[in-house]
Amino acid sequence: MSADASAAQQRRSARASGGSGAPAALLSPTLVREFARRLLAWHPMHGRSDLPWQGSRDPYRVWLSEIMLQQTQVVTVVGYFHRFVDRFPTVQHLAAAPLDEVLGLWSGLGYYSRARNLHRCAVEVVERFGQFPPTAEQLQSLPGIGPSTAAAIASFCFSERAAILDGNVKRVLARVLAFEADVGAGAGQRQLLAHAQQLLPTADRMPVYSQAIMDLGATVCLPRQPRCDVCPLASLCKARSQEQVTHYPVKSRKIKRSSLRLWLLWAVRGDGAVWLARRPESGIWGGLYCLPVYESSQALLQGLPERLRHSVQEQPAFMHALTHRDLHLHPVRLTVDARRDRLAQGQWFKPSELPDLGLPAPVRKLLTS
Ligand code: SF4
């Protein structure tokens, strides 16, 4: 392709990215010509092909995997994905299921707002469209589907020229382009998206291309020790030529790790039933059933009838790590005579009922230990 033709193609691509609202700086003609071509040539031999959602053009499976993979490792997601598609083989099955059943199956994957949005989204897909709609724009109007997930579904399943911009893809692009803006900030993301849009192949190659760039980020362009020696983009990569690979992607906003202490009232009845209360929709473990949670041991005691306060037994505390927070959990055990003793809001659940309930992972572990 001549330099003029290449520049014209870039201008067309930049116009196609119009939704980003960012001025799309022109990239070098060599990069535009070579980027997708090399990824497409690399993928058949070196890309991943063993994940259960790969190779599918079923938007339900692609959507489910994309939502599960947000903030969660592939190795953790695989088992959950199998269990979900076994129990809910289609979006219609998922929409018809009670939310509690969905939360129960999600239990342990964390970020429970994703599970609530998953269910809400399934209901909306069925009610508004009947099936998943085919364009990224329509997909983004659904709960829990952001621009990158919408682009993944639209490109994998409907061959739309929509650029994915998940964490792995951002890293590859930021390094190849030596992209200096903050990829965590809105302006930086819009600019990177406009560049990404210029590098896309033709529509018919979109499913393979999208998979290839995600796979390269996951297996070659690794966060700390990228394998530049086997990378098909090595000779195009500015970060590599500047020997500045781990400087990119630039993230100026660092999320600080915090910690939190919580006390859990572990009330048990003579027959082994435990007292659980549903958590508020927002905040930690939102919408799940849980042992009643208190911010101090005093608050826990004050929540009990006076004559029970001397019967509590503090159990060994343990730590549960969330992505950005360490939880220090203090279980406080209490054996209760259910005919006489009343507790605050909640209800009794027998041990046989626990497997189907949406419970926070550390609480499930505690109750089944
Ligand atoms: S050359 Fe290295 S830094 Fe550049 S894209 Fe490839 S793996 Fe990433």
Side-chain angles (χ1 to χ4, degrees):
M1 191 188 302
S2 71
D4 281 354
S6 181
Q9 180 185 324
Q10 287 189 48
R11 282 193 291 276
R12 284 196 297 277
S13 299
R15 277 198 298 277
S17 73
S20 70
L26 295 185
L27 303 177
S28 90
T30 307
L31 182 63
V32 172
R33 188 178 61 239
E34 285 295 308
F35 189 85
R37 194 189 68 73
R38 292 193 191 184
L39 283 171
L40 288 165
W42 171 84
H43 190 262
M45 287 290 288
H46 305 287
R48 296 178 297 184
S49 58
D50 53 345
L51 301 175
W53 47 85
Q54 283 182 319
S56 171
R57 301 197 75 175
D58 175 358
Y60 174 63
R61 292 171 78 91
V62 172
W63 166 69
L64 196 55
S65 65
E66 286 292 320
I67 302 292
M68 286 183 168
L69 286 165
Q70 290 166 9
Q71 318 273 356
T72 310
Q73 304 278 333
V74 167
V75 44
T76 308
V77 165
V78 170
Y80 281 89
F81 181 83
H82 282 304
R83 284 191 288 280
F84 256 80
V85 291
D86 281 352
R87 181 90 70 96
F88 312 120
T90 66
V91 68
Q92 286 79 10
H93 287 91
L94 181 56
L99 175 60
D100 277 345
E101 197 180 341
V102 177
L103 289 170
L105 215 53
W106 191 272
S107 185
L109 260 183
Y111 290 97
Y112 293 92
S113 58
R114 288 184 299 167
R116 286 195 302 279
N117 276 333
L118 191 84
H119 187 254
R120 208 175 297 150
C121 181
V123 171
E124 260 195 53
V125 166
V126 172
E127 286 180 355
R128 279 174 57 198
F129 301 102
Q131 291 291 349
F132 277 93
T135 69
E137 194 179 348
Q138 289 170 308
L139 287 159
Q140 272 189 73
S141 71
L142 290 162
I145 298 190
S148 188
T149 304
I153 302 169
S155 64
F156 280 130
C157 308
F158 304 108
S159 294
E160 181 175 330
R161 296 184 72 246
I164 296 173
L165 214 54
D166 69 2
N168 285 333
V169 175
K170 276 183 192 170
R171 189 167 57 254
V172 172
L173 291 169
R175 286 174 173 172
V176 170
L177 300 169
F179 186 72
E180 283 297 345
D182 180 351
V183 298
Q189 288 198 42
R190 283 192 293 277
Q191 219 183 330
L192 195 60
L193 181 62
H195 288 319
Q197 203 69 35
Q198 292 181 57
L199 297 171
L200 299 178
T202 53
D204 59 320
R205 307 310 314 275
M206 279 305 296
V208 179
Y209 170 84
S210 296
Q211 191 62 60
I213 193 168
M214 290 168 92
D215 288 356
L216 190 85
T219 63
V220 176
C221 193
L222 302 169
R224 286 191 195 86
Q225 292 188 313
R227 300 164 57 216
C228 303
D229 50 330
V230 296
C231 177
L233 304 176
S235 65
L236 301 171
C237 181
K238 283 192 183 169
R240 181 171 180 261
S241 68
Q242 293 168 6
E243 298 183 8
Q244 288 279 322
V245 166
T246 51
H247 170 70
Y248 302 99
V250 173
K251 289 179 192 164
S252 54
R253 192 169 58 97
K254 301 258 186 283
I255 299 173
K256 277 204 192 131
R257 194 158 188 82
S258 62
S259 71
L260 182 66
R261 283 187 188 283
L262 295 173
W263 278 257
L264 306 174
L265 176 61
W266 184 4
V268 184
R269 216 166 55 177
D271 63 356
V274 289
W275 183 261
L276 300 175
R278 200 193 274 280
R279 299 281 305 152
E281 285 284 306
S282 60
I284 190 164
W285 303 326
L288 299 189
Y289 283 101
C290 188
L291 298 174
V293 175
Y294 298 87
E295 289 182 358
S296 66
S297 57
Q298 290 87 339
L300 183 149
L301 290 174
Q302 280 163 11
L304 290 174
E306 201 160 342
R307 59 185 198 75
L308 289 177
R309 291 179 191 168
H310 301 293
S311 314
V312 298
Q313 290 180 315
E314 294 225 4
Q315 304 295 305
F318 62 100
M319 207 267 278
H320 179 73
L322 301 175
T323 309
H324 301 300
R325 188 144 61 165
D326 292 333
L327 296 180
H328 298 273
L329 301 172
H330 298 257
V332 178
R333 180 100 177 200
L334 177 68
T335 303
V336 169
D337 179 343
R339 286 162 304 179
R340 295 193 308 142
D341 300 325
R342 302 217 61 77
L343 295 171
Q345 207 181 8
Q347 65 187 91
W348 292 108
F349 287 91
K350 293 183 195 145
S352 61
E353 295 175 294
L354 299 183
D356 291 332
L357 282 183
L359 295 172
V363 171
R364 185 181 298 286
K365 203 164 159 196
L366 183 69
L367 296 181
T368 53
S369 60

